[in-house]
Amino acid sequence: GLRRDDAHAALTKESQILHLGSVANPSGFLVRLGAWLPGKDGDQLGAIEPDIIGEAFVVDQLTQLGDQGGASILRASQCRPTKVVQFLIRAAQDFSSAQSTSIVGPLSWLGLVVEKGEADDLGLLRTISNALPSTSVVLRPYALSVRENIDSRLCLLMENKEISAVDFIVEISMLLSDLAHAQHDMGLYPESVITARRASYLFRTLTTFNRTPFLSYLAMTSDNLARMLVSIGSFDEALQSSQEAVGLLRELSAQDPEYLPVLCAYLNTLGIVLRHCGDDDMAAKNLREGADYIVSFRQGCVVTERATAGETFCFGMSLRDAH
């Protein structure tokens, strides 16, 4: 995505730092590179495609540089943090099952970028947190570390009055939801419940000031909390939280049918909780209601933008359990 002038500057800087010599005709080289890797416009360089070939090439070249490869990644992250973080995450996932040390490079480089963010760059930590996938075995420790660090940094900013109360509550609430998932994925079930409770409490506080904009977020955190509570065997409390989430989504979907797919996902959670509580009849009723919505989606009666891949999976689970 670099333009030729920026690519020229980066090429010159890296050549000097790594003592690789200079390109005899950098302008001509970039013209040829642009022809091999065309971008969106004539002045922009594209990526090596398909992605996995580009990832393998970059990982191989940087690995040959040893420690300097990690230093190059850090310099690149200062220039294009989002692109670099996304590359490292994709490379770590794509090569996580390789029977070699190819994954060590991307993971160790991601660790360096995380350390840089934890030291003095909250914006970089936010970029990493936003780019991390919701589920990834190989990246779980990084998700936990990054989100715990952002949590503590935001709290410090709030204490020093460097961030407004409302902005703090919104950002920290979303972060806490992600952190709860990261803790749960690492098997830290009691800790995930505590974190999920914090997120739910903060969004509940926001709804007391301005109910409508934050109602869906409160429902989301209530559903998350219910699933975390199931993991520690607190089924009665999980039932209350799940019922609240479903009730809020019924209210929202009555006003806007686009919330129906989310309601299906929450009905699935409620069915699971009811089964743990021993109420198989009510569990089946809620799962069947979710399945009925699925049928209407498939028949084209309801078409929404909220039917994400994750929610579609929940719909499939509801359909399976209901029948």
Side-chain angles (χ1 to χ4, degrees):
L2 288 177
R3 297 194 175 278
R4 291 184 186 178
D5 288 345
D6 296 328
H8 186 190
L11 178 65
T12 302
K13 180 179 179 180
E14 285 300 296
S15 296
Q16 293 173 347
I17 293 173
L18 299 174
H19 306 291
L20 297 177
S22 59
V23 179
N25 182 8
S27 297
F29 170 75
L30 290 171
V31 168
R32 293 194 299 273
L33 190 60
W36 295 332
L37 303 172
K40 294 180 180 179
D41 60 52
D43 191 42
Q44 192 177 49
L45 298 177
I48 300 175
E49 295 180 344
D51 284 354
I52 195 167
I53 301 299
E55 292 163 15
F57 173 76
V58 174
V59 169
D60 177 67
Q61 294 298 306
L62 290 177
T63 300
Q64 293 183 37
L65 294 175
D67 292 341
Q68 285 292 341
S72 290
I73 286 289
L74 284 176
R75 288 191 290 273
S77 69
Q78 294 174 349
C79 177
R80 301 294 289 274
T82 301
K83 294 288 187 181
V84 171
V85 168
Q86 290 172 345
F87 160 76
L88 293 174
I89 289 173
R90 286 198 309 270
Q93 290 182 300
D94 287 342
F95 297 108
S96 63
S97 59
Q99 301 299 315
S100 68
T101 58
S102 58
I103 187 177
V104 176
L107 278 179
S108 63
W109 300 330
L110 180 60
L112 291 174
V113 177
V114 169
E115 288 175 5
K116 173 67 169 61
E118 290 178 342
D120 59 9
D121 195 337
L122 180 59
L124 181 57
L125 283 181
R126 286 170 169 151
T127 298
I128 298 169
S129 179
N130 292 335
L132 285 167
S134 56
T135 56
S136 172
V137 174
V138 73
L139 296 172
R140 283 176 181 175
Y142 294 94
L144 181 61
S145 174
V146 167
R147 287 159 184 164
E148 285 181 337
N149 192 280
I150 297 177
D151 179 20
S152 61
R153 295 279 288 278
L154 286 176
C155 289
L156 183 60
L157 289 175
M158 179 62 183
E159 290 175 5
N160 295 337
K161 298 182 179 179
E162 296 177 40
I163 184 172
S164 74
V166 174
D167 289 342
F168 166 77
I169 293 175
V170 172
E171 182 165 2
I172 199 69
S173 299
M174 296 302 297
L175 169 70
L176 288 172
S177 295
D178 292 337
L179 176 56
H181 283 294
Q183 291 171 325
H184 190 270
D185 288 343
M186 290 293 290
L188 303 173
Y189 301 135
E191 291 85 349
S192 71
V193 169
I194 293 172
T195 303
R197 280 200 179 109
R198 287 177 61 196
S200 182
Y201 169 78
L202 289 173
F203 273 123
R204 194 179 305 280
T205 300
L206 287 172
T207 59
T208 62
F209 293 105
N210 194 352
R211 188 171 189 271
T212 303
F214 299 109
L215 207 58
S216 62
Y217 294 105
L218 175 58
M220 174 193 71
T221 54
S222 296
D223 182 76
N224 288 342
L225 178 58
R227 286 184 279 113
M228 306 299 170
L229 287 165
V230 167
S231 298
I232 63 171
S234 297
F235 302 130
D236 290 341
E237 188 179 354
L239 179 59
Q240 294 177 6
S241 189
S242 183
Q243 287 173 331
E244 178 184 36
V246 169
L248 292 173
L249 255 295
R250 289 192 192 282
E251 178 182 339
L252 289 169
S253 60
Q255 302 168 6
D256 184 353
E258 284 202 355
Y259 282 102
L260 285 172
V262 189
L263 175 58
C264 273
Y266 293 177
L267 286 167
N268 182 71
T269 301
L270 181 56
I272 293 171
V273 174
L274 285 164
R275 280 188 170 179
H276 282 291
C277 292
D279 195 340
D280 290 342
D281 291 339
M282 284 300 297
K285 179 180 178 181
N286 282 278
L287 291 168
R288 192 171 294 111
E289 181 182 355
D292 289 340
Y293 285 129
I294 299 168
V295 172
S296 68
F297 298 148
R298 290 179 175 175
Q299 291 176 344
C301 297
V302 179
V303 179
T304 78
E305 295 179 357
R306 298 179 185 269
T308 63
E311 289 160 355
T312 302
F313 171 77
C314 290
F315 305 158
M317 293 293 289
S318 296
L319 187 62
R320 182 202 68 183
D321 291 342
H323 296 285

